[in-house]
Amino acid sequence: METRLVTVDPHHPDEQAIAEAAAVIRSGGLVAFPTETVYGLGADALNPSAVQGIFRAKGRPGDNPLIVHLADPGELPAVGVPLPRVEPLARRFWPGPLTLVLPRTPAVPDVTTAGLNTVAVRVPDHPVAVALIRASGCPIAAPSANRSGRPSPTRAAHVWADLHGRIDMILDGGEAGIGLESTVLDLTQNPPVLLRPGGVTVEELEEVIGPIRIHPAAGGMPAAGPVASPGMKYRHYAPATRCVLVEGTPEAVAAHISLRVRQERAAGLRVGVLASREAAAQYDADVVLVGGSRTDPAELGRNLYHGLRELDEAGLDLLFLEGVEATGLGLALMNRMRRAAGYRIERAEDTAVLAGQGEDSGDSRRARTEEDLS
Ligand code: TXA
Ligand code: MG
């Protein structure tokens, strides 16, 4: 299959391009498009064979349900039951990076919800996404537009790398603004349950609807017991390169990674770090990529997936990630980084123990690449 790549102005998308993309959706095809979170891979949410195509193109397990995207909150009753908490949440956060899990209506086919009797719904805040849904005249089911298991795409080039030849069309509307997927909140339970942290924070949600429960997997640790959101049980957001997340205070994290980099390089490995701007100069790694300031989780979030993809292409044996405080947007960042690391997590306090081993290899430094992603 030829994949057409069409560039559109993210603020004022060309009508002709949107009309062509909408025709693809209506005829049961697949179109990747930008949203404010990440790029989505869209199909007509009410057409079972079109939705089947999403699973095929991504290599996605059939038991992992999709988010249904609407152009307007008023379209909700067609696909989901508007429970009482929807109204205040929609008023505050839609359009935007909040996905609500609700009882579904019979209009939504089984394949879209992976057979669950609930449906995940969101109204994206991106002119291209909204124009495409409107022009298609149907709700659009869209997971992130990556091959299953890969980091989510924040640029059209990432979608192209993962899916060209497997989908009909990519609308290139530039970089996704948030860079992390939407917050997923299950309103079918009382109190509501946070299934995935994202662009809307726990603190913001609680301001509107009071206390919510945070599912253990939402912090990014492996799901124990029954899985509430099928997406939790799959390896996700992961570069192919072995990846280690270091957690602790910023100073301890930087000291720990700096030491571990020297050890691993002394042992002959090629090592990379996705670093904060503040700590980058401390790392004597083969590749150091700056993802943003550690005081600015929004900047770190915007650059995380691009950084993981870049570092994955640098021919490294090992990759270190700096942990951040898991509050606000930091919770979403830590969730993604813990999973990218496959739960290989080191506590920065352990540095004193490590200090005795393999320090100061004294080998001549190889050329070092430093690049700022911001
Ligand atoms: O920001 C986003 O949410 C992006 C853009 C494209 O909108 N989409 C996205 O979709 O991240 P995806 O498929 O990569 O992640 C959807 C998550 C999965 O973890 C899935 O298991 C969960 O939402 N989910 C979908 N329907 C559900 C349901 N009925 N009950 C519980 N979890 C559900
Ligand atoms: Mg995804």
Side-chain angles (χ1 to χ4, degrees):
M1 174 188 303
E2 281 269 337
T3 300
R4 284 185 60 206
L5 180 60
V6 178
T7 303
V8 290
D9 181 326
H11 306 291
H12 305 284
D14 177 58
E15 271 179 42
Q16 184 56 36
I18 294 295
E20 287 170 30
V24 172
I25 296 281
R26 273 197 305 274
S27 67
L30 303 181
V31 177
F33 60 96
T35 81
E36 80 281 25
T37 58
V38 299
Y39 273 72
L41 177 60
D44 177 350
L46 307 183
N47 175 341
S49 67
V51 172
Q52 205 61 258
I54 292 179
F55 286 89
R56 229 181 358 256
K58 280 188 56 115
R60 183 179 176 103
D63 65 350
N64 194 4
L66 306 180
I67 296 172
V68 174
H69 297 70
L70 308 174
D72 188 286
E75 297 158 6
L76 176 61
V79 293
V81 177
L83 299 175
R85 288 189 179 98
V86 171
E87 205 266 330
L89 288 170
R91 198 156 13 97
R92 169 89 184 264
F93 300 113
W94 278 357
L98 176 64
T99 295
L100 299 176
V101 174
L102 300 166
R104 70 159 158 164
T105 68
V108 185
D110 273 343
V111 54
T112 303
T113 68
L116 299 176
N117 51 18
T118 55
V119 63
V121 186
R122 96 175 181 99
V123 179
D125 185 15
H126 195 292
V128 175
V130 172
L132 177 63
I133 302 165
R134 287 235 161 85
S136 302
C138 58
I140 291 187
S144 49
N146 49 283
R147 284 294 280 267
S148 199
R150 297 262 297 148
S152 292
T154 56
R155 305 173 180 201
H158 302 160
V159 182
W160 179 266
D162 277 16
L163 295 174
H164 76 87
R166 308 175 69 87
I167 64 179
D168 298 289
M169 190 170 177
I170 301 171
L171 292 173
D172 180 354
E175 240 183 279
I178 296 175
L180 302 173
E181 307 83 347
S182 63
T183 302
V184 180
L185 183 68
D186 184 352
L187 289 185
T188 69
Q189 304 191 55
N190 215 342
V193 179
L194 180 80
L195 298 178
R196 180 176 74 182
V200 173
T201 65
V202 171
E203 294 82 352
E204 290 171 318
L205 291 171
E206 291 191 329
E207 268 173 40
V208 177
I209 54 166
I212 62 176
R213 191 164 76 76
I214 299 174
H215 193 284
M221 299 317 278
V227 179
S229 187
M232 287 172 176
K233 68 177 189 240
Y234 297 109
R235 183 174 152 87
H236 256 94
Y237 319 117
T241 310
R242 187 158 60 94
C243 196
V244 172
L245 172 66
V246 178
E247 300 190 7
T249 64
E251 294 72 24
V253 165
H256 183 103
I257 294 179
S258 162
L259 184 62
R260 295 283 289 111
V261 165
R262 273 183 281 148
Q263 287 178 338
E264 297 291 351
R265 291 189 74 201
L269 298 192
R270 268 179 61 79
V271 182
V273 184
L274 183 53
S276 63
R277 191 168 295 115
E278 290 83 354
Q282 293 185 47
Y283 304 135
D284 214 345
D286 295 276
V287 183
V288 177
L289 214 60
V290 173
S293 166
R294 65 187 175 206
T295 63
D296 186 355
E299 185 186 17
L300 295 172
R302 204 154 52 237
N303 293 322
L304 175 67
Y305 289 140
H306 181 64
L308 290 176
R309 281 176 181 261
E310 289 277 292
L311 287 163
D312 219 10
E313 278 157 23
L316 301 167
D317 302 303
L318 185 60
L319 185 56
F320 285 100
L321 303 176
E322 286 182 18
V324 296
E325 200 193 328
T327 58
L329 198 56
L331 181 65
L333 266 168
M334 288 302 273
N335 168 281
R336 305 312 188 273
M337 290 198 290
R338 284 168 177 158
R339 300 177 72 154
Y343 309 111
R344 279 180 295 270
I345 297 168
E346 295 180 9
R347 295 291 315 171
E349 283 80 8
D350 298 341
T351 305
V353 180
L354 294 165
Q357 315 160 12
E359 220 194 319
D360 205 0
S361 62
D363 59 333
S364 62
R365 294 281 81 103
R366 277 155 279 181
R368 168 177 154 180
T369 329
E370 217 179 287
E371 194 185 317
D372 200 311
L373 285 174
S374 53

